[in-house]
């Protein structure tokens, strides 16, 4: 059973930083795209940042210049460095990954979510 295990959430003051991690475990598949989404109370889940297996990145306009996504392919791990955090970015942050079998089949997985609270 593939698992995406997230860590790094917590409480931070406005303007502060956090680093989220997400590791894909128990998989012999290759890990294709890895992404971070977030969902604030009463709002839809939204894409924050994405990174392909060859390192190409994509960011939501609202986080460009403040957030940075990276990955360690050897460890099947994706990171999200979040700087200059704002109170409105309080949300549950979810890791998402696309895994590909040797036959080319794709499987989508979600992490359990980690709470990020930006408050003074």
């Amino acid at each position: 059973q593939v698992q995406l295990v997230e860590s790094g959430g917590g409480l931070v003051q406005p303007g502060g930083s956090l680093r989220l991690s997400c590791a894909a475990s128990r998989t012999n598949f290759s890990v294709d795209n890895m992404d971070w989404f977030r969902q604030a109370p009463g709002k839809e889940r939204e894409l924050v940042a994405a990174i392909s297996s060859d390192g190409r990145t994509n960011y939501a306009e609202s986080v460009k210049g403040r957030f940075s996504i990276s990955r360690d392919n050897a460890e099947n791990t994706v990171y999200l460095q979040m700087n200059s955090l704002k109170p409105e970015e309080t949300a549950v942050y979810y890791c998402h990954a696309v895994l590909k079998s040797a036959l080319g089949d794709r499987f989508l997985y979600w992490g359990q979510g980690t709470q990020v609270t930006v408050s003074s």
Side-chain angles (χ1 to χ4, degrees):
Q1 177 88 16
V2 174
Q3 288 185 325
L4 297 182
V5 181
E6 300 156 347
S7 61
L11 174 64
V12 64
Q13 292 187 343
S17 298
L18 280 176
R19 189 190 194 212
L20 306 182
S21 301
C22 171
S25 64
R26 304 180 185 176
T27 178
N28 294 320
F29 293 167
S30 63
V31 182
D32 203 345
N33 276 27
M34 301 187 82
D35 320 299
W36 287 98
F37 286 74
R38 65 187 177 193
Q39 187 166 20
K43 294 189 176 182
E44 293 187 355
R45 192 172 296 189
E46 62 173 355
L47 177 66
V48 176
I51 186 167
S52 65
S53 56
D54 60 0
R56 288 171 290 138
T57 59
N58 186 37
Y59 296 93
E61 283 294 327
S62 61
V63 306
K64 283 183 178 178
R66 298 185 297 116
F67 289 16
S68 178
I69 189 170
S70 60
R71 64 189 287 168
D72 182 338
N73 288 335
E75 299 293 330
N76 288 335
T77 300
V78 63
Y79 305 96
L80 184 67
Q81 177 66 43
M82 304 185 293
N83 299 326
S84 301
L85 281 160
K86 305 174 182 179
E88 56 264 37
E89 294 179 312
T90 294
V92 179
Y93 284 69
Y94 294 93
C95 176
H96 174 260
V98 179
L99 275 61
K100 190 165 64 175
S101 72
L103 298 177
D105 296 322
R106 293 177 182 270
F107 302 89
L108 309 182
Y109 290 93
W110 289 93
Q112 79 283 2
T114 185
Q115 178 70 45
V116 172
T117 301
V118 186
S119 176
S120 55

